Amino acid sequence: MKPLSSVRHTSPRIGLALGSGSARGWSHIGVIRVLEQAGISPDIVCGTSMGALVGAAYAAGELDRLETWAKSLTWQAVVKLLDIKIGGGLIAGNKLLSFFRTHFEDPGIEQLPKAYAVVATELATGREVWLRDGPVIDAVRASIAVPGLFTPAERDGRLLVDGGLVNPVPVSLCRAMGADIVIAVDVNSDLMGRQFHAPEEPDAPPPETRPGAFASIMAMLTPARLKSGPKNSIVMPSMLDVLSTSLNIMQVRITRSRLAGEPADILIRPRLSDIAGMDYHRAAPAITEGQRAAEQALPEIREFFGA
């Protein structure tokens, strides 16, 4: 960490590393709001997965429109954006791409008002890929390609998938782009130990599988959850519950390892274990939690900047 004296006198470049986390990534919007209100405007924005999406809107000056749209989403609207395709992933992503191309301008990463880049993973080699030029929407599509859920994205003859597989909170990318100070947001920090809850009523679906985008997609593949044994035994999770939870475990472990070796100067960790990965219709509570976590971190941020 740089001493405050150098921070005061050298006008350091501030980097913002927005982590992966599917629907939990909406909380990045709340974090950014608090930082801006505190007079902290990052020069460099890097994102992984949903962090790439929110970061793109912020870097382009489109955060207001993205927040308005996100808060208006219902689970029915989310489902309409998903094009089911069994092959490479459950969702082709073409409807989502078409929506963003229709509703948001894409000047190209090089033309954005803020320096911006995203992390993706090359499927064939497992290499970490940094996307720093070309169409913004295509870069975001590559970074959000969660394995098994979205089909891989094609770029320069390579298949790319979710950057969260290799670098869930891209502090290193911010540093490589010239950031002197990095504020990082980890939206998955409290997911370990998240439990699968039994139904509240004999015939009621568990909370995380009640009608919603996730449940609608999975109804075709997993009509019902099964008990793992006698009547009072734990509820057996669905196939995608197991997949998403396994990915959560992997990303939490990788995040801890990467942040230990490449620490951020300020780390903000919203508590979002009650928001499932496909709860894209729950932007409002996610954003509120992002605001709460950022406000809690403000004393540390002000102390760091000597304010």
Side-chain angles (χ1 to χ4, degrees), residues 68-155:
T68 298
W69 174 72
K71 286 182 174 179
S72 73
L73 285 175
T74 62
W75 68 265
Q76 295 97 329
V78 173
V79 170
K80 288 179 181 179
L81 288 172
L82 306 180
D83 38 3
I84 307 302
K85 174 184 178 181
I86 306 301
L90 284 174
I91 301 167
N94 295 327
K95 285 186 179 179
L96 192 62
L97 283 178
S98 178
F99 174 85
F100 280 114
R101 288 195 173 107
T102 301
H103 292 82
F104 294 88
E105 293 185 9
D106 187 348
I109 291 175
E110 303 91 329
Q111 302 303 316
L112 293 175
K114 291 181 182 289
Y116 170 77
V118 310
V119 177
T121 304
E122 185 176 7
L123 185 61
T125 64
R127 289 191 192 121
E128 181 175 341
V129 177
W130 294 349
L131 303 178
R132 302 172 61 173
D133 56 30
V136 177
I137 293 173
D138 289 349
V140 171
R141 170 63 178 86
S143 190
I144 66 172
V146 179
L149 187 60
F150 281 93
T151 57
E154 296 183 41
R155 178 168 169 139

Side-chain angles (χ1 to χ4, degrees), residues 32-288:
I32 292 169
R33 294 300 189 198
V34 171
L35 293 178
E36 289 282 347
Q37 290 167 7
I40 299 167
S41 182
D43 307 285
I44 298 164
V45 182
C46 296
T48 298
S49 199
M50 267 298 282
L53 174 61
V54 175
Y58 179 46
E62 294 276 9
L63 195 64
D64 288 346
R65 284 216 297 157
L66 181 68
E67 180 175 4
T68 298
W69 174 72
K71 286 182 174 179
S72 73
L73 285 175
T74 62
W75 68 265
Q76 295 97 329
V78 173
V79 170
K80 288 179 181 179
L81 288 172
L82 306 180
D83 38 3
I84 307 302
K85 174 184 178 181
I86 306 301
L90 284 174
I91 301 167
N94 295 327
K95 285 186 179 179
L96 192 62
L97 283 178
S98 178
F99 174 85
F100 280 114
R101 288 195 173 107
T102 301
H103 292 82
F104 294 88
E105 293 185 9
D106 187 348
I109 291 175
E110 303 91 329
Q111 302 303 316
L112 293 175
K114 291 181 182 289
Y116 170 77
V118 310
V119 177
T121 304
E122 185 176 7
L123 185 61
T125 64
R127 289 191 192 121
E128 181 175 341
V129 177
W130 294 349
L131 303 178
R132 302 172 61 173
D133 56 30
V136 177
I137 293 173
D138 289 349
V140 171
R141 170 63 178 86
S143 190
I144 66 172
V146 179
L149 187 60
F150 281 93
T151 57
E154 296 183 41
R155 178 168 169 139
D156 301 327
R158 299 180 295 182
L159 291 178
L160 303 179
V161 293
D162 196 326
L165 295 175
V166 290
N167 195 353
V169 183
V171 173
S172 58
L173 180 51
C174 280
R175 302 277 190 209
M177 292 183 65
D180 301 299
I181 298 171
V182 177
I183 300 171
V185 186
D186 175 12
V187 300
N188 295 325
S189 63
D190 67 335
L191 295 186
M192 299 290 278
R194 183 173 181 267
Q195 299 295 314
F196 300 107
H197 298 289
E200 297 168 2
E201 308 169 6
D203 298 322
E208 61 269 34
T209 59
R210 286 174 185 163
F214 198 38
S216 298
I217 294 169
M218 288 315 299
M220 297 180 296
L221 302 178
T222 52
R225 284 185 169 191
L226 301 174
K227 289 279 187 177
S228 60
K231 182 177 180 180
N232 294 327
S233 65
I234 63 172
V235 175
M236 183 62 67
S238 70
M239 180 186 73
L240 277 195
D241 277 331
V242 173
L243 176 60
S244 63
T245 302
S246 299
L247 287 171
N248 288 341
I249 293 170
M250 178 194 68
Q251 290 197 47
V252 169
R253 297 289 189 187
I254 293 172
T255 299
R256 290 176 182 175
S257 177
R258 293 294 299 252
L259 290 178
E262 303 158 345
D265 297 289
I266 303 292
L267 182 58
I268 299 172
R269 285 175 160 159
R271 300 186 64 81
L272 298 158
S273 62
D274 62 329
I275 295 182
M278 287 297 289
D279 283 351
Y280 291 104
H281 58 293
R282 299 187 62 204
I287 292 170
T288 297

